Structure formats: structure tokens, C-alpha cells
Amino acid sequence: MERRSSVRFTPSEIARMEKLAAERKEQVLDNKFCQKLAEEFNCSAGRAGSKVLQATQVQGWFLNKFPVSATKPTCVPTFSQEKASTAEVNVSVSEKKSAASEEKLFPLDTSISNNEDEVSPVFPLETRDKIPDLEELEFEAKSSKDSAWYDIALFLAHRRNRAGEIEVRVRFEGFGADEDEWVNVEKCIRQRSIPLESSQCRSIVEGDLVLCFREGNEEALHFDAHVLEVQRKQHDIRGCRCIFLVEYDHDRSQERVSLRRLSRRPKYS
């Protein structure tokens, strides 16, 4: 069965939804509430030029994160934190302000430079993550069907294959039981990648492993890629304008992408 794409929310959107879920409980599952919240996200500066969120995707996040009744697996295999997706819908978000009016207020520097000294130094060069508590860990899995990474909603079972390696059966977030897969724990399970905010662009450097959103005529998926080159640009009201040349690990194709299409791997001290 052809797998449809699912959405990946930004850290600020997730924080907003978690706060609303704690305050409003079951109200967050209301269709009108989810529609209003989706419109709010779509109008935010962080999604300008990105993909439109649908109310059903917002509602799906609440259902997956805070199900009315959910049966948790009794046993989850242990693996390293680093060993622990999802694409967005194919409609562009119309920006609230025209590019022309924005450039009058915040002139856009279209020059490209690989010299970090020529870029505003206010952003951190590196991002270090706080080690999460065990119950806060979230994971993603690499599908054998298309080599793309998807967020995991549930661990359903585990087993050892003939080679003695541990495999787990997972349910991907946003998909049904007919899309469940057995995946190798060591090779295909890892902690979830983290969507990047504009202020974190300088934490991505040449050689980094990233999770990159790739859109095609028939697919919109997240794949592992390595950064080959970073072209630094001055930020403006629309956020990061830098360009990243990446090479996808699964087919060695290359593409120039914006920061919005990248998620980083967790980094710990």
C-alpha cells in the first residue's frame, strides 16, 4: 500500500499544543477548535512559505499524544538514545504580508557568503540538548518500504530474528494497523529528529547528518542526508534565508534546500 505523508510540527507549535491540552483537556479535540489553531499556525512567521496545516492534522496530533483511551505496550526494548516523519501536505502557505512590503521594512541581503564572520553573530554556533527523562523520549523509525523516517506512535511487540538481532513492530504516527512494520532496533530506530528554528541555523555545519524533507511528484517524505555546503545569508523578517546543499544517503542525489526542510539530530554534552 502506498504510504501517505504525515506532518511534522515545529517545537514552538508542539509547546503551544501541549499547553492547550493541559489547560483545555477534551476541548482540544473539537473540530472548530482544531481549525482555529491550524489557522493560527499557518499565519505565524515560522510557517511563512512553508506548507499549510490542516485541522485534521492538528486534531490527529492531539489524538496521538493524548488519546482518550490507549493501551501502552508492556515491554519496550532498550536501546541507545541516539538510536531511537513524516512529510507535510503539498499546499503553500500564503504569507500574511507581501514580500515587497517586508523588504521595505527589513531590507533583504541577497548576497551569499560562506564566511561566518559576515553573518550576524547573535545566533549560537552549537545546540546542546538536555537529556530527556525516559518517559519523555520519542522515537522515529526507518521504513523498509521507502527508506524514509516516520514518527513512532506505538511499540507493539518485539522479537529476535534469525541473526539474533532485536526487531520491534511499530505503528507509525498518523497511520493505521495495515502500515505496521517490523524494524531492526539497532539500524532503524532512533530518538526523534528535532525541527529547526531560524535562530538555530548556525548549529548546522558541513558534514552534519540531518533529516531532510523531500517533495516529489508522488511523494513528500523525510530522508537522511548529509550537509555538503552551507551558504549563509542575512536573516530578515521571514526568518533564515540560508541555503544548504545536501546529499541524500539512500540514493546519493543532491539538492539545495532551506532551513525549514531540515531537522537536526539531538546533541548531548
Side-chain angles (χ1 to χ4, degrees):
M1 178 181 295
E2 183 178 351
R3 177 166 293 144
R4 61 181 176 83
S5 300
S6 57
V7 70
R8 184 177 289 263
F9 293 96
T10 66
S12 58
E13 289 168 349
I14 291 173
R16 171 83 166 130
M17 289 189 289
E18 287 178 340
K19 184 175 185 292
L20 287 170
E23 293 175 348
R24 305 201 181 187
K25 309 298 181 182
E26 290 82 2
Q27 184 185 350
V28 298
L29 300 178
D30 179 74
N31 291 336
K32 291 183 179 179
F33 180 89
C34 292
Q35 180 63 46
K36 185 176 180 181
L37 188 58
E39 291 172 357
E40 175 188 319
F41 288 161
N42 288 329
C43 291
S44 67
R47 281 208 173 262
S50 186
K51 306 299 174 180
V52 167
L53 288 175
Q54 304 297 323
T56 53
Q57 293 170 322
V58 174
Q59 189 178 54
W61 185 92
F62 283 123
L63 285 169
N64 284 325
K65 192 73 176 178
F66 305 102
V68 177
S69 61
T71 302
K72 295 185 178 180
T74 57
C75 179
V76 177
T78 302
F79 35 86
S80 72
Q81 283 186 323
E82 181 57 24
K83 296 278 181 186
S85 189
T86 74
E88 301 167 343
V89 293
N90 302 323
V91 185
S92 294
V93 175
S94 59
E95 298 189 9
K96 207 169 183 180
K97 297 182 180 178
S98 68
S101 63
E102 287 174 354
E103 288 173 4
K104 289 179 182 178
L105 293 172
F106 298 88
L108 172 63
D109 182 359
T110 56
S111 63
I112 298 176
S113 173
N114 287 323
N115 184 354
E116 292 188 352
D117 293 334
E118 296 179 13
V119 184
S120 174
V122 299
F123 303 121
L125 286 174
E126 276 194 285
T127 299
R128 293 294 175 185
D129 300 300
K130 177 183 176 182
I131 297 176
D133 295 332
L134 184 60
E135 61 271 16
E136 296 176 345
L137 284 172
E138 294 181 308
F139 302 96
E140 61 192 16
K142 184 178 180 181
S143 171
S144 60
K145 296 180 180 180
D146 50 27
S147 297
W149 289 86
Y150 297 87
D151 291 343
I152 295 174
L154 289 172
F155 290 96
L156 302 170
H158 70 281
R159 68 184 184 188
R160 286 189 180 272
N161 60 22
R162 293 181 179 178
E165 298 171 326
I166 298 177
E167 295 178 334
V168 289
R169 188 164 183 81
V170 298
R171 179 157 302 162
F172 296 112
E173 193 165 291
F175 301 101
D178 56 339
E179 295 282 3
D180 293 349
E181 283 189 39
W182 286 101
V183 294
N184 185 288
V185 168
E186 184 177 357
K187 300 174 183 176
C188 300
I189 300 285
R190 67 188 184 191
Q191 191 176 344
R192 282 190 191 179
S193 300
I194 303 171
L196 286 152
E197 304 282 4
S198 292
S199 61
Q200 298 175 323
C201 76
R202 292 188 70 194
S203 68
I204 301 299
V205 298
E206 294 177 9
D208 277 357
L209 171 66
V210 293
L211 190 66
C212 186
F213 174 68
R214 183 163 81 170
E215 260 186 306
N217 294 330
E218 299 180 356
E219 64 176 16
L221 304 171
H222 286 85
F223 296 100
D224 272 347
H226 279 82
V227 178
L228 301 181
E229 178 184 303
V230 182
Q231 296 177 334
R232 304 287 181 186
K233 291 186 179 182
Q234 187 69 38
H235 291 199
D236 64 12
I237 190 174
R238 290 165 289 180
C240 176
R241 315 303 296 169
C242 302
I243 301 297
F244 302 83
L245 175 63
V246 301
E247 181 178 271
Y248 294 101
D249 290 1
H250 69 291
D251 63 5
R252 300 302 176 189
S253 62
Q254 296 182 8
E255 186 179 10
R256 294 186 185 276
V257 302
S258 66
L259 186 75
R260 291 190 185 95
R261 292 174 56 183
L262 302 180
S263 295
R264 64 178 177 83
R265 300 297 306 131
K267 297 178 181 178
Y268 300 106
S269 303

